Amino acid sequence: MPESIVLAIIGGSGLTALEGLEIIGEETIETPYGPPSAPLVRGRLHGRTVLFLPRHGRGHTIPPHRINYRANLWALREAGAPRIFAAAAVGGITPEAAPTRLVIPDQVIDYTWGRPSTFFEEDLDEVVHVDFTRPYDPELRQHLIEAAAALSLDVVRHGTYGATQGPRLESAAEIERLARDGCTIVGMTGMPEAALARELALPYVCCAVVANWAAGRGDSEAPITMAEIEQNLSRGLRNLRRLLAACIDRL
Ligand code: HPA
C-alpha cells in the first residue's frame, strides 16, 4: 500500500516548484468548482509522501484575485491531504517583519472582495457558520515554531496577516490603516484560502516570507520593485525550505 500523504504544500510566489521533491506522479483533479491552479504533484520529500500545488499556476500566471481557491482546497482534500502548509510572500509592516524573515502568523484580517469565499452557499440543509477564532491551526503552528527552534532558525512567532485584493501593491495610507488595525504583514492570497481550509476541516498553517517593506515602511522612499521582491524572496525561501524539511521530519 502506498504511504499516505503527510502534508500538502501550497507554493506561493517564488515557490512554483519544490526543490528536492522526488516526483511520483501528477493528478489532474476536476472539482465542482472547476480546475485547481495546476495538476497536483505527488512526491517524496525527506522520505515522506507529500502533495504540492503552485497557487499561481505552474508558470506563475494566475494573479491573486483570479486564483480558484475553492478548487485548490477541494482538490487537495480529494487527493487525501490531511493538513496544509501554505507558503506566502508578504510585505512587512512592523519593524520585526523585516525583508527575508519568516513569519508564522496567528491571525488574519480579510480586506479582499469579490472572491468566491465559501463552500457553504448552495444546496444547504441549513446555514453553516464555521468557527474561525484561530484561523491557523494552533498545533501545526506550534510544530513549525518548534522545528524552527531546533534549527536555530530566525522566525517571527506571531503575526496578523492582512489579506488585500491586489494585484497592485498598497498605498502608504492603506498600509497605515492595516497597521492601525493590528496587521503586521500584508499579502494577497491568505484569504479566502485559510477560511476554505477551515470549512473543509483541514488543519492549515501559513509560513510567510517577507519580500519587501510594505508601502511607506522601511527607510527608502524608492518604489517597491519586483527585482527587490525576488531577491529577498530567494533568500527567505532558502530558510523556508529548511523549515519545511524539519517540519516534515517531525510529522
Ligand atoms: N503587499 C501585498 N502583497 C505582497 C507584498 C506587499 O507589499 N509583498 C509581497 N506580497
Side-chain angles (χ1 to χ4, degrees):
M1 221 178 70
E3 195 209 32
S4 54
I5 295 159
V6 296
L7 184 70
I9 300 138
I10 302 181
S13 295
L15 202 70
T16 47
L18 203 52
E19 224 170 80
L21 182 69
E22 257 176 72
I23 297 173
I24 300 171
E26 270 186 22
E27 294 167 43
T28 303
I29 295 184
E30 265 304 316
T31 79
Y33 308 97
S37 298
L40 307 185
V41 176
R42 185 184 287 257
R44 306 270 300 168
L45 192 63
H46 303 282
R48 313 295 293 277
T49 305
V50 301
L51 288 173
F52 178 72
L53 174 64
R55 187 187 282 120
H56 297 278
R58 274 209 182 139
H60 201 265
T61 50
I62 311 171
H65 64 297
R66 301 291 289 276
I67 291 169
N68 191 338
Y69 295 94
R70 290 195 296 188
N72 286 355
L73 273 295
W74 192 271
L76 289 172
R77 190 193 55 171
E78 207 56 20
R83 53 181 75 85
I84 295 182
F85 175 105
V90 297
I93 298 178
T94 47
E96 71 275 10
T100 77
R101 285 192 91 185
L102 301 183
V103 182
I104 317 288
D106 52 352
Q107 281 298 326
V108 70
I109 300 180
D110 189 5
Y111 302 92
T112 67
W113 48 270
R115 303 180 180 190
S117 56
T118 180
F119 292 110
F120 297 128
E121 59 184 4
E122 269 165 52
D123 302 324
L124 300 177
D125 295 328
E126 59 179 47
V127 172
V128 179
H129 303 287
V130 293
D131 176 75
F132 203 48
T133 310
R134 287 178 183 59
Y136 303 101
D137 185 72
E139 248 180 69
L140 261 183
R141 287 191 69 257
Q142 196 51 36
H143 192 77
L144 274 192
I145 288 166
E146 283 168 18
L151 289 172
S152 305
L153 202 64
D154 170 42
V155 300
V156 184
R157 296 168 170 222
H158 294 281
T160 297
Y161 181 127
T164 54
Q165 179 70 358
R168 65 165 176 82
L169 295 165
E170 298 72 32
S171 70
E174 286 169 336
I175 293 299
E176 273 300 322
R177 172 191 170 207
L178 264 65
R180 282 196 301 276
D181 285 353
C183 297
T184 63
I185 52 176
V186 56
M188 301 174 190
T189 57
M191 288 293 283
E193 197 172 87
L196 290 166
R198 179 61 52 82
E199 285 191 350
L200 295 179
L202 283 172
Y204 175 99
V205 75
C206 171
C207 180
V209 185
V210 183
N212 54 281
W213 286 116
R217 302 276 146 167
D219 297 331
S220 169
E221 295 284 313
I224 300 163
T225 64
M226 285 308 288
E228 166 195 354
I229 289 184
E230 279 160 21
Q231 201 175 41
N232 289 326
L233 264 184
S234 99
R235 283 178 55 193
L237 283 169
R238 246 173 276 156
N239 283 336
L240 182 139
R241 286 192 200 95
R242 291 179 59 209
L243 181 57
L244 182 57
C247 166
I248 287 175
D249 278 345
R250 292 160 157 258
L251 280 173

